[in-house]
Amino acid sequence: MLEEHAKVVQFVSLAGQVTGRKKLQKMVYIAKKMRFPFQEKYQFHIYGPYSEELTLRVEELCNMGFLTEEKEDKGSYVQYRYAVTAEGTSFSTMLGKQHDKLPEVINMMNDRSARFLELVSTLLYFDELTKEEQIEKVHVVKGKLNFTEDELTDAFEFIAQLATVSIQ
Amino acid sequence: MSYATAKLEEEKVFKDPVHRYIHVRDQVIWDLIGTREFQRLRRIKQLGTTYLVFHGAEHSRFNHSLGVYEIVRRMVDDVFKGRPEWDESERLVVLCAALLHDLGHGPFSHAFEHVFDLDHEEFTRHIIMGDTEVNQVLSRVAANFPLKVSNVIAKTYENKQVVSMISSQIDADRMDYLQRDAYYTGVSYGHFDMERILRVMRPREDQVVIKSSGMHAVEDYIMSRYQMYWQVYFHPVSRSAEVILTKILHRAKALSETGYKFLHEPTHFQAFFDKNIELEDYLALDESILLTYFQLWMREADPILSDLSRRFVNRKLFNYVEIDPAKDYQKLRELENLFRKAGIDPQYYLVLDSSSDLPYDFYRPGEEEERLPIHLLMPNDEIRELSRSSDIVDSISGKRRTDHKLYFPEDILLENGKKKTLRKQILEILKG
């Protein structure tokens, strides 16, 4: 019972802290695409793949006192920062040790911006397409974000790096 | 005349209790309805286990899909046609997407998807793009037409206005299921003035907006949705049936993994147990097949599988108590241990189930709130987010309601015999 909740706590714990709801959403999605066993269902929404289940789980974990959510006023918008409490750390021990490669994948993602992870997760959402089709799709569904060629190259390189540490 | 524009010689009508008549003139739509993949939706109930609470709720995804098609048809043919902000060349793609949007749903969708880690949207895509009758019909329109329809349903289509007609906070999908589910369950919630909403819808860039004069009809729609979620969709007894159904499938899967010899080989499930699912395996399953297996599994030697199957078939469901996982987390752990000591496997007989709904949400720039808001078209042509004009909507905007229930078989805990004292102790803890 509550194993999926514990996985999310462990995820944030390994990251230290995660800044932004969007960033957390994309990080879990990317980890899932790298075959780490997260159960949250994702659908394509405004910012790319999004999981209502994950939103709900995080909210519950905050209510349970296992995660903290700090609001930061950025003027035109509010940003949220997530971290694990001492009770949360104890709660997540029910899972035992995490997968060996998970901390490395989380660190790689947490060093990147939410915008970049949005691009990576969108490319991964269309990973059944050819590279050219993936790029075209990004321009169609994310036209207003104007991703540059450099960003796209960086994103493909990042996906290749992730693949070397993903679960095969 | 091309296949895309071909019309039937005479209009076909389906009698429908919600929309009175569903009108079909397009040859493509008529042909899609006749495909085996679309006809399969007759054997998938729209509300899963809800019929065990509201006995009228036996309607299928076939009815609902036709209903969504009819609402979109009325939008494009009666309201949008001729307006400069509407691109008439999108008519057929949006009609097909409306009709096919639920094509990939499996039997008892959510429970089935959860146990076998499947995604009905992915199967919708596979059916539209794969070697199927649906794909043959769509491909006759144009080689890239199946992909266009699939992209609208997946919300990755270029024209966001088209996507929003089927998937937004006020879309044809919701407008049909609220009214249809209210009709078949017999509840008095779920009714709103759809005629009025359709009349005041206006196509705009990337979205469909509502003329401000229709605001009160939209308020009614949002309140209907709120009521239906808590009174029907999250009904605790229906959830109990879904909990048991999920556990039956979990048990059958677990037994298969350990090499258990079933009395009747579960051939229909083998591909799902082996995680090697072809589209044909998926299409071969429907709710009548699942219910047949549940009947067969009642006679299995495994006591958990037979007990859970019997419970579902005979509607001997689990009882429940309200629980707050935040406060009662230690209690849950204690209960799990006590269940084990009492010889009752908590993995199958002690289940935490959560329901949550956000009735309406507005857009907060820069953060991850994924719902596109409903926009009103003001008399001066200004576009204004709904909760800024409606006090009623403002009062529930962004407010998520969640509740948690703990399901358990009270009858087993009340049984006489071994470990009776321990069972009594468990019941006392559960009932607080």
Side-chain angles (χ1 to χ4, degrees):
Chain A
M1 215 182 290
L2 298 173
E3 283 83 3
E4 297 309 316
H5 288 74
K7 283 184 199 172
V8 175
V9 175
Q10 187 183 64
F11 189 96
V12 178
S13 169
L14 288 169
Q17 67 172 26
V18 178
T19 306
R21 288 180 176 176
K22 177 159 71 177
K23 188 165 183 176
L24 181 58
Q25 280 276 342
K26 302 315 169 208
M27 286 172 72
V28 173
Y29 177 76
I30 295 166
K32 198 177 165 182
K33 287 296 280 187
M34 295 298 131
R35 298 174 190 271
F36 292 96
F38 293 94
Q39 299 298 316
E40 287 79 11
K41 286 217 175 298
Y42 276 82
Q43 290 188 321
F44 201 84
H45 283 242
I46 314 165
Y47 295 103
Y50 168 78
S51 171
E52 181 70 24
E53 275 179 35
L54 180 62
T55 296
L56 177 60
R57 205 152 276 160
V58 168
E59 201 173 296
E60 283 176 0
L61 286 166
C62 292
N63 291 337
M64 290 162 95
F66 296 155
L67 289 184
T68 56
E69 181 186 68
E70 275 180 42
K71 275 187 196 175
E72 196 180 331
D73 192 349
K74 292 281 190 181
S76 60
Y77 66 96
V78 174
Q79 192 162 60
Y80 297 84
R81 184 175 293 129
Y82 297 97
V84 177
T85 62
E87 292 80 9
T89 305
S90 151
F91 168 71
S92 69
T93 56
M94 71 183 269
L95 282 179
K97 196 173 176 304
Q98 76 283 347
H99 193 283
D100 284 349
K101 292 172 176 174
L102 186 59
E104 190 180 347
V105 169
I106 290 175
N107 282 334
M108 284 171 72
M109 293 190 287
N110 211 14
D111 285 345
R112 299 296 195 133
S113 68
R115 174 183 162 92
F116 181 75
L117 296 177
E118 183 179 346
L119 173 59
V120 169
S121 59
T122 304
L123 288 169
L124 285 170
Y125 190 81
F126 297 113
D127 61 358
E128 286 176 0
L129 304 177
T130 64
K131 189 174 172 180
E132 289 69 30
E133 287 169 338
Q134 279 176 292
I135 293 171
E136 193 188 328
K137 204 74 193 164
V138 165
H139 289 313
V140 167
V141 298
K142 302 274 169 194
K144 287 178 180 163
L145 289 178
N146 294 320
F147 285 114
T148 64
E149 269 189 40
D150 284 350
E151 283 179 301
L152 281 159
T153 306
D154 195 10
F156 279 113
E157 280 172 9
F158 186 74
I159 291 169
Q161 282 171 21
L162 281 175
T164 63
V165 285
S166 69
I167 298 177
Q168 299 306 311
Chain B
M1 187 183 282
S2 71
Y3 183 56
T5 54
K7 302 290 177 196
L8 299 168
E9 214 166 280
E10 266 190 15
E11 181 179 73
K12 304 279 187 187
V13 286
F14 292 81
K15 194 80 186 83
D16 183 77
V18 176
H19 306 303
R20 290 193 66 233
Y21 289 102
I22 287 165
H23 304 255
V24 180
R25 277 302 298 272
D26 296 88
Q27 183 69 50
V28 176
I29 297 298
W30 183 246
D31 291 347
L32 284 172
I33 293 169
T35 60
R36 63 185 277 256
E37 296 87 15
F38 191 78
Q39 290 293 320
R40 167 185 163 275
L41 296 180
R42 290 182 188 272
R43 305 188 296 276
I44 309 281
K45 278 193 278 294
Q46 173 72 8
L47 288 182
T49 57
T50 303
Y51 73 99
L52 290 166
V53 180
F54 299 95
H55 64 258
E58 299 264 3
H59 56 303
S60 70
R61 294 208 177 262
F62 180 90
N63 314 21
H64 164 63
S65 299
L66 285 179
V68 178
Y69 152 79
E70 175 63 14
I71 294 173
V72 170
R73 190 198 65 75
R74 290 178 59 187
M75 281 186 201
V76 297
D77 288 351
D78 301 347
V79 187
F80 293 3
K81 194 174 182 178
R83 293 189 184 276
E85 302 87 352
W86 169 244
D87 178 356
E88 189 65 19
S89 71
E90 301 282 23
R91 180 182 175 275
L92 191 61
V93 77
V94 73
L95 288 179
C96 291
L99 186 73
L100 303 179
H101 77 286
D102 269 353
L103 200 57
H105 271 285
F108 299 107
S109 311
H110 301 296
F112 194 80
E113 283 183 25
H114 174 73
V115 175
F116 296 110
D117 193 20
L118 305 171
D119 178 358
H120 70 266
E121 295 207 346
E122 212 170 291
F123 278 100
T124 300
R125 195 156 57 240
H126 290 328
I127 296 170
I128 292 173
M129 299 303 295
D131 181 13
T132 59
E133 292 180 13
V134 163
N135 181 270
Q136 283 170 22
V137 173
L138 297 173
S139 297
R140 280 183 67 193
V141 175
N144 67 346
F145 194 66
L147 183 61
K148 287 173 83 172
V149 174
S150 171
N151 285 344
V152 174
I153 297 171
K155 301 185 271 291
T156 61
Y157 192 59
E158 191 168 8
N159 186 337
K160 301 296 175 206
Q161 182 194 73
V162 167
V163 174
S164 75
M165 291 163 72
I166 297 163
S167 185
S168 64
Q169 294 199 74
I170 185 158
D171 60 23
D173 185 18
R174 288 183 188 189
M175 285 201 277
D176 183 80
Y177 75 61
L178 290 175
Q179 296 179 92
R180 190 167 301 280
D181 297 343
Y183 176 87
Y184 282 99
T185 53
V187 299
S188 57
Y189 335 102
H191 303 290
F192 58 93
D193 191 351
M194 187 182 76
E195 302 300 318
R196 177 82 183 134
I197 291 177
L198 288 179
R199 282 174 65 89
V200 294
M201 280 185 149
R202 292 291 179 269
R204 286 291 182 273
E205 188 191 356
D206 286 350
Q207 61 179 326
V208 175
V209 299
I210 310 284
K211 279 176 69 180
S212 59
S213 56
M215 185 180 81
H216 299 298
V218 177
E219 288 174 340
D220 209 18
Y221 154 86
I222 288 174
M223 296 316 288
S224 295
R225 185 188 172 284
Y226 176 83
Q227 299 277 18
M228 284 296 284
Y229 268 77
W230 290 102
Q231 300 295 333
V232 175
Y233 305 136
F234 297 154
H235 194 289
V237 179
S238 159
R239 301 292 292 188
S240 175
E242 189 161 314
V243 161
I244 291 175
L245 190 144
T246 306
K247 293 299 170 187
I248 294 172
L249 296 173
H250 267 304
R251 185 63 180 174
K253 186 176 167 217
L255 289 173
S256 167
E257 282 164 5
T258 58
Y260 174 85
K261 292 284 173 212
F262 289 87
L263 280 176
H264 299 274
E265 205 58 40
T267 46
H268 287 84
F269 289 95
Q270 207 53 56
F272 297 88
F273 293 155
D274 299 342
K275 290 185 181 166
N276 185 22
I277 307 154
E278 300 287 335
L279 188 52
E280 275 307 311
D281 300 317
Y282 194 77
L283 293 171
L285 267 190
D286 58 41
E287 287 173 6
S288 56
I289 303 268
L290 255 71
L291 291 171
T292 304
Y293 273 100
F294 294 171
Q295 287 272 359
L296 295 171
W297 289 344
M298 283 164 61
R299 289 188 283 279
E300 281 293 342
D302 178 71
I304 294 178
L305 183 61
S306 58
D307 175 66
L308 293 173
S309 300
R310 211 171 292 126
R311 283 177 186 278
F312 189 84
V313 172
N314 299 327
R315 200 186 177 279
K316 303 291 180 216
L317 305 177
F318 287 173
N319 296 67
Y320 63 90
V321 287
E322 302 271 350
I323 195 155
D324 179 355
K327 281 197 302 194
D328 301 328
Y329 162 63
Q330 293 302 340
K331 187 165 131 181
L332 287 173
R333 288 273 161 276
E334 186 190 353
L335 281 165
E336 278 185 313
N337 287 332
L338 290 172
F339 265 65
R340 275 189 210 99
K341 279 185 193 164
I344 309 167
D345 190 340
Q347 206 186 328
Y348 297 100
Y349 289 100
L350 185 67
V351 184
L352 179 65
D353 183 73
S354 304
S355 302
S356 174
D357 181 45
L358 184 57
Y360 174 73
D361 204 9
F362 50 88
Y363 180 64
R364 302 170 183 83
E367 262 305 338
E368 185 83 339
E369 302 295 343
E370 295 285 343
R371 292 170 178 79
L372 277 176
I374 297 172
H375 280 127
L376 298 178
L377 179 63
M378 306 310 284
N380 61 358
D381 257 8
E382 180 203 346
I383 303 276
R384 183 186 288 179
E385 191 275 313
L386 173 65
S387 68
R388 290 179 56 210
S389 292
S390 163
D391 291 339
I392 292 175
V393 174
D394 185 47
S395 70
I396 57 167
S397 285
K399 293 198 174 78
R400 184 186 294 281
R401 179 179 159 190
T402 305
D403 89 8
H404 308 275
K405 291 189 169 57
L406 192 60
Y407 288 90
F408 59 95
E410 186 167 333
D411 52 322
I412 291 182
L413 296 173
L414 289 169
E415 269 174 14
N416 283 321
K418 276 200 297 184
K419 297 179 179 165
K420 192 183 168 190
T421 317
L422 185 55
R423 289 169 194 233
K424 197 178 159 203
Q425 186 193 343
I426 292 174
L427 207 50
E428 280 167 6
I429 296 172
L430 280 165
K431 302 245 164 147

